[in-house]
Short mmCIF file of all heavy atoms in Angstrom, two decimals:
data_model
loop_
_atom_site.label_atom_id
_atom_site.label_comp_id
_atom_site.label_asym_id
_atom_site.label_seq_id
_atom_site.Cartn_x
_atom_site.Cartn_y
_atom_site.Cartn_z
N GLU A 1 102.65 105.59 87.60
CA GLU A 1 103.83 105.59 86.71
C GLU A 1 104.94 106.51 87.20
O GLU A 1 106.11 106.22 87.00
CB GLU A 1 103.41 106.05 85.32
CG GLU A 1 102.54 105.05 84.58
CD GLU A 1 103.33 103.84 84.07
OE1 GLU A 1 104.51 103.98 83.79
OE2 GLU A 1 102.71 102.78 83.97
N ALA A 2 104.62 107.62 87.84
CA ALA A 2 105.63 108.60 88.25
C ALA A 2 106.53 108.07 89.35
O ALA A 2 107.59 108.66 89.60
CB ALA A 2 104.93 109.89 88.69
N HIS A 3 106.18 106.98 90.01
CA HIS A 3 106.95 106.51 91.14
C HIS A 3 107.56 105.13 90.94
O HIS A 3 107.84 104.42 91.91
CB HIS A 3 106.05 106.49 92.39
CG HIS A 3 105.58 107.85 92.78
ND1 HIS A 3 106.35 108.76 93.43
CD2 HIS A 3 104.38 108.47 92.57
CE1 HIS A 3 105.68 109.87 93.61
NE2 HIS A 3 104.48 109.71 93.11
N LEU A 4 107.79 104.76 89.70
CA LEU A 4 108.34 103.42 89.43
C LEU A 4 109.70 103.18 90.04
O LEU A 4 110.10 102.06 90.32
CB LEU A 4 108.40 103.15 87.92
CG LEU A 4 107.04 102.99 87.24
CD1 LEU A 4 107.22 102.78 85.75
CD2 LEU A 4 106.27 101.83 87.84
N GLY A 5 110.48 104.23 90.26
CA GLY A 5 111.82 104.08 90.83
C GLY A 5 111.87 104.27 92.32
O GLY A 5 112.93 104.14 92.94
N ASP A 6 110.75 104.58 92.95
CA ASP A 6 110.70 104.90 94.38
C ASP A 6 110.43 103.67 95.21
O ASP A 6 109.42 103.56 95.92
CB ASP A 6 109.66 105.99 94.65
CG ASP A 6 109.93 107.28 93.93
OD1 ASP A 6 111.13 107.58 93.73
OD2 ASP A 6 108.98 107.99 93.60
N ILE A 7 111.36 102.72 95.22
CA ILE A 7 111.17 101.44 95.90
C ILE A 7 111.09 101.66 97.41
O ILE A 7 110.47 100.87 98.13
CB ILE A 7 112.27 100.44 95.54
CG1 ILE A 7 111.83 99.04 95.93
CG2 ILE A 7 113.60 100.80 96.14
CD1 ILE A 7 112.60 97.95 95.29
N GLU A 8 111.66 102.74 97.92
CA GLU A 8 111.60 103.02 99.36
C GLU A 8 110.15 103.25 99.81
O GLU A 8 109.77 102.88 100.91
CB GLU A 8 112.50 104.21 99.70
CG GLU A 8 112.88 104.28 101.15
CD GLU A 8 113.61 103.05 101.66
OE1 GLU A 8 114.39 102.44 100.89
OE2 GLU A 8 113.43 102.69 102.83
N TYR A 9 109.32 103.84 98.96
CA TYR A 9 107.89 103.99 99.28
C TYR A 9 107.28 102.63 99.58
O TYR A 9 106.54 102.45 100.56
CB TYR A 9 107.12 104.60 98.10
CG TYR A 9 107.33 106.05 97.85
CD1 TYR A 9 108.30 106.81 98.48
CD2 TYR A 9 106.49 106.70 96.93
CE1 TYR A 9 108.45 108.15 98.22
CE2 TYR A 9 106.64 108.05 96.67
CZ TYR A 9 107.63 108.78 97.30
OH TYR A 9 107.76 110.11 97.05
N LEU A 10 107.60 101.68 98.73
CA LEU A 10 107.06 100.32 98.89
C LEU A 10 107.55 99.66 100.16
O LEU A 10 106.79 99.09 100.91
CB LEU A 10 107.41 99.47 97.66
CG LEU A 10 106.96 98.03 97.65
CD1 LEU A 10 105.46 97.93 97.77
CD2 LEU A 10 107.43 97.36 96.37
N ARG A 11 108.84 99.79 100.43
CA ARG A 11 109.41 99.17 101.63
C ARG A 11 108.82 99.75 102.91
O ARG A 11 108.48 99.00 103.85
CB ARG A 11 110.92 99.35 101.63
CG ARG A 11 111.60 98.51 100.58
CD ARG A 11 113.09 98.67 100.66
NE ARG A 11 113.72 97.84 99.65
CZ ARG A 11 114.78 98.19 98.93
NH1 ARG A 11 115.36 99.38 99.13
NH2 ARG A 11 115.26 97.41 98.02
N VAL A 12 108.68 101.07 102.97
CA VAL A 12 108.14 101.72 104.18
C VAL A 12 106.67 101.33 104.37
O VAL A 12 106.26 100.99 105.48
CB VAL A 12 108.29 103.24 104.08
CG1 VAL A 12 107.51 103.97 105.15
CG2 VAL A 12 109.77 103.64 104.16
N THR A 13 105.90 101.31 103.28
CA THR A 13 104.48 100.96 103.40
C THR A 13 104.33 99.49 103.78
O THR A 13 103.49 99.14 104.59
CB THR A 13 103.76 101.26 102.07
OG1 THR A 13 103.98 102.64 101.73
CG2 THR A 13 102.28 101.01 102.18
N MET A 14 105.17 98.64 103.22
CA MET A 14 105.12 97.20 103.55
C MET A 14 105.47 96.98 105.01
O MET A 14 104.84 96.17 105.69
CB MET A 14 106.08 96.42 102.65
CG MET A 14 105.99 94.92 102.87
SD MET A 14 104.36 94.19 102.57
CE MET A 14 104.28 94.26 100.80
N ARG A 15 106.43 97.73 105.54
CA ARG A 15 106.78 97.60 106.94
C ARG A 15 105.59 97.96 107.84
O ARG A 15 105.27 97.24 108.79
CB ARG A 15 107.98 98.48 107.27
CG ARG A 15 108.40 98.34 108.72
CD ARG A 15 109.71 99.04 108.98
NE ARG A 15 110.12 98.79 110.32
CZ ARG A 15 110.33 99.73 111.23
NH1 ARG A 15 110.19 100.98 110.92
NH2 ARG A 15 110.71 99.42 112.44
N GLY A 16 104.92 99.08 107.52
CA GLY A 16 103.75 99.47 108.32
C GLY A 16 102.65 98.45 108.22
O GLY A 16 101.96 98.16 109.18
N LEU A 17 102.44 97.92 107.02
CA LEU A 17 101.42 96.92 106.80
C LEU A 17 101.68 95.64 107.59
O LEU A 17 100.80 95.07 108.18
CB LEU A 17 101.27 96.62 105.29
CG LEU A 17 100.12 95.79 104.79
CD1 LEU A 17 98.80 96.39 105.23
CD2 LEU A 17 100.17 95.68 103.29
N ARG A 18 102.95 95.23 107.60
CA ARG A 18 103.31 94.05 108.38
C ARG A 18 103.09 94.25 109.86
O ARG A 18 102.66 93.33 110.57
CB ARG A 18 104.79 93.70 108.14
CG ARG A 18 105.02 92.97 106.86
CD ARG A 18 106.47 92.60 106.74
NE ARG A 18 106.71 91.74 105.58
CZ ARG A 18 107.82 91.73 104.90
NH1 ARG A 18 108.83 92.51 105.24
NH2 ARG A 18 107.93 90.94 103.88
N GLN A 19 103.38 95.45 110.37
CA GLN A 19 103.15 95.77 111.77
C GLN A 19 101.68 95.60 112.14
O GLN A 19 101.34 95.20 113.25
CB GLN A 19 103.60 97.21 112.10
CG GLN A 19 105.08 97.46 111.94
CD GLN A 19 105.91 96.74 112.99
OE1 GLN A 19 105.50 96.58 114.14
NE2 GLN A 19 107.08 96.28 112.58
N LYS A 20 100.79 95.86 111.19
CA LYS A 20 99.37 95.82 111.47
C LYS A 20 98.72 94.48 111.15
O LYS A 20 97.72 94.11 111.79
CB LYS A 20 98.64 96.92 110.63
CG LYS A 20 99.09 98.31 111.04
CD LYS A 20 98.50 99.34 110.12
CE LYS A 20 99.00 100.74 110.51
NZ LYS A 20 98.44 101.79 109.63
N ILE A 21 99.27 93.72 110.20
CA ILE A 21 98.63 92.49 109.74
C ILE A 21 99.28 91.23 110.32
O ILE A 21 98.59 90.28 110.67
CB ILE A 21 98.68 92.40 108.19
CG1 ILE A 21 97.87 93.55 107.58
CG2 ILE A 21 98.19 91.07 107.66
CD1 ILE A 21 96.38 93.45 107.81
N GLU A 22 100.60 91.20 110.38
CA GLU A 22 101.30 89.99 110.82
C GLU A 22 101.21 89.81 112.35
O GLU A 22 101.26 90.77 113.07
CB GLU A 22 102.79 90.07 110.42
CG GLU A 22 103.03 90.07 108.95
CD GLU A 22 102.92 88.71 108.31
OE1 GLU A 22 102.72 87.70 109.02
OE2 GLU A 22 103.05 88.66 107.08
N SER A 23 101.15 88.53 112.78
CA SER A 23 101.18 88.28 114.22
C SER A 23 102.59 88.48 114.75
O SER A 23 102.75 88.92 115.88
CB SER A 23 100.69 86.84 114.50
OG SER A 23 101.46 85.91 113.79
N ASP A 24 103.61 88.20 113.95
CA ASP A 24 104.99 88.46 114.30
C ASP A 24 105.67 89.12 113.11
O ASP A 24 106.13 88.45 112.20
CB ASP A 24 105.75 87.14 114.64
CG ASP A 24 107.19 87.37 115.06
OD1 ASP A 24 107.61 88.54 115.16
OD2 ASP A 24 107.91 86.38 115.21
N PRO A 25 105.67 90.48 113.08
CA PRO A 25 106.21 91.19 111.92
C PRO A 25 107.67 90.85 111.57
O PRO A 25 108.08 90.99 110.44
CB PRO A 25 106.10 92.67 112.31
CG PRO A 25 105.05 92.70 113.35
CD PRO A 25 105.17 91.40 114.08
N GLY A 26 108.43 90.39 112.55
CA GLY A 26 109.81 90.02 112.29
C GLY A 26 109.94 88.71 111.53
O GLY A 26 110.98 88.45 110.91
N ARG A 27 108.90 87.88 111.57
CA ARG A 27 108.85 86.63 110.85
C ARG A 27 107.53 86.53 110.08
O ARG A 27 106.62 85.81 110.50
CB ARG A 27 109.00 85.46 111.80
CG ARG A 27 110.31 85.44 112.51
CD ARG A 27 110.42 84.28 113.44
NE ARG A 27 111.68 84.37 114.15
CZ ARG A 27 112.15 83.43 114.92
NH1 ARG A 27 111.48 82.32 115.07
NH2 ARG A 27 113.31 83.61 115.53
#
């Protein structure tokens, strides 16, 4: 609940996750 406005946390974590999971993180 304390981080509902911290959308940048989500974006940064999603970027790292894409780098590790996606075959082509750009697409």
Side-chain angles (χ1 to χ4, degrees):
E1 291 285 331
H3 298 283
L4 289 179
D6 298 330
I7 196 163
E8 200 58 34
Y9 285 11
L10 179 58
R11 289 183 180 141
V12 169
T13 305
M14 184 59 73
R15 181 171 185 239
L17 190 55
R18 280 183 173 149
Q19 295 291 326
K20 296 173 182 181
I21 296 293
E22 295 282 356
S23 57
D24 181 6
R27 296 180 184 189

